[in-house]
Amino acid sequence: MKKSENSMKIYLPSLSVNEGVARSAVAVFVAQLNPTIEEISDIKCAVSEAVTNAIVHGYKYSQGVIYIGVKYYSDRTVVIEIKDKGCGIENVAEAMTPLFTTDTSGERSGMGFAVMSTFMDKLDVYSKKGEGVRILMVKKLG
Amino acid sequence: MEKLRFNYENEVLTLKIIGDIDHHSAVSVREQSDSLIFEKRPTIVLFDLSAVEFMDSSGLGLILGRFTLSEEIGAEFKIIKPARSVLRILELAGIERLIKIEGDNNEEK
């Protein structure tokens, strides 16, 4: 594959306050490509969903590290990778079903993956139980 | 940081959310909203999103939870003035089939 034009790597502890830090940092990085307001808002939302999943489900509010990698190519393709080393997902297809949630408080909508796949052009989720989650998202800017 | 301002008049409780709504901020908004709904016992709850620039799916859970609580006390629940980016996520989840959304906040930027 062609070499990326620019890239960024961030490691953040799994604190919920870092949800905003993660999406803002990615937005600032991608802003170099002069995306539309809508494109930036889509990317922020997708990053927020992935990072929230890592905190709430991957690490279940325990301490862990969230890895975020962003790169873009000369054809304005943005690739975002978000990884955790949390508990992993046993059944990825089930987790990705809209409205599916393991949460019992009634406060989680189960729409995280639906948001990621709607707002990004490509979404791949790799996970095994006990081995964390790796999310790869691609968005082609206009 | 202040996340919520409220106004209570003629049995209408307006909850104006300030700033981003994500999983982190939803906690305090939820607690403040619920205690106001319990305390005021309004007949209408207006969830004002005009000062929200960013919302992710945690906002959907937040809204559905407050909608359920309002129904339980017999109050009507409405969302008012969502920005376009917020409206997109509300529509993605089909919230409008359940909850009335009034007024937009979509001045050209």
Side-chain angles (χ1 to χ4, degrees):
Chain A
M1 194 172 175
K2 236 168 51 180
K3 201 177 169 297
S4 63
E5 261 193 354
N6 197 359
S7 62
M8 174 176 81
K9 286 179 181 174
I10 310 174
Y11 296 88
L12 287 169
S14 58
L15 304 169
S16 69
V17 71
N18 285 334
E19 293 156 9
V21 176
R23 65 175 177 265
S24 302
V26 173
V28 168
F29 181 76
V30 174
Q32 298 174 102
L33 297 171
N34 290 317
T36 63
I37 291 170
E38 194 164 282
E39 285 167 340
I40 272 289
S41 134
D42 289 353
I43 289 172
K44 281 174 77 176
C45 213
V47 169
S48 200
E49 300 295 347
V51 171
T52 303
N53 275 355
I55 294 169
V56 176
H57 302 291
Y59 292 118
K60 302 195 188 311
Y61 300 101
S62 67
Q63 273 287 6
V65 176
I66 299 167
Y67 163 92
I68 300 162
V70 192
K71 50 191 172 178
Y72 60 75
Y73 296 86
S74 53
D75 66 352
R76 300 174 61 77
T77 302
V78 179
V79 178
I80 302 172
E81 183 184 22
I82 297 177
K83 284 192 297 195
D84 67 66
K85 290 186 167 19
C87 69
I89 304 170
E90 196 167 2
N91 186 337
V92 172
E94 181 186 54
M96 290 180 75
T97 308
L99 302 176
F100 175 85
T101 180
T102 52
D103 178 78
T104 49
S105 71
E107 294 290 335
R108 311 288 323 150
S109 66
M111 291 296 286
F113 282 121
V115 167
M116 288 181 243
S117 72
T118 305
F119 288 173
M120 301 296 279
D121 294 321
K122 193 168 185 288
L123 167 69
D124 286 308
V125 182
Y126 307 94
S127 186
K128 269 188 198 159
K129 198 177 180 199
E131 290 179 23
V133 176
R134 175 172 173 253
I135 290 175
L136 208 57
M137 301 186 281
V138 179
K139 189 155 180 93
K140 179 91 166 68
L141 303 183
Chain B
M1 206 173 22
E2 186 188 34
K3 296 303 297 179
L4 187 145
R5 266 179 234 157
F6 80 95
N7 179 57
Y8 182 67
E9 238 179 310
N10 303 324
E11 300 191 3
V12 179
L13 176 63
T14 306
L15 301 169
K16 182 173 182 170
I17 318 304
I18 317 284
D20 292 1
I21 303 181
D22 61 10
H23 157 253
H24 179 71
S25 71
V27 179
S28 69
V29 173
R30 180 179 76 220
E31 286 167 357
Q32 291 177 64
S33 300
D34 288 3
S35 53
L36 283 164
I37 292 170
F38 274 123
E39 184 194 319
K40 307 290 182 193
R41 299 266 158 181
T43 50
I44 298 175
V45 176
L46 300 178
F47 213 66
D48 181 347
L49 298 179
S50 61
V52 175
E53 278 181 29
F54 174 87
M55 185 179 100
D56 66 16
S57 75
S58 302
L60 299 172
L62 176 74
I63 288 168
L64 289 170
R66 286 7 343 118
F67 165 71
T68 308
L69 178 64
S70 300
E71 290 229 300
E72 277 168 18
I73 63 153
E76 189 187 353
F77 183 91
K78 289 182 196 172
I79 296 167
I80 57 171
K81 296 183 241 167
R84 183 171 291 131
S85 61
V86 174
L87 190 60
R88 287 179 68 218
I89 196 157
L90 294 172
E91 285 173 347
L92 168 68
I95 292 280
E96 73 281 359
R97 284 178 306 201
L98 211 58
I99 300 172
K100 214 178 269 179
I101 303 174
E102 285 180 357
D104 58 17
N105 180 30
N106 295 322
E107 74 284 3
E108 288 299 318
K109 283 181 185 166

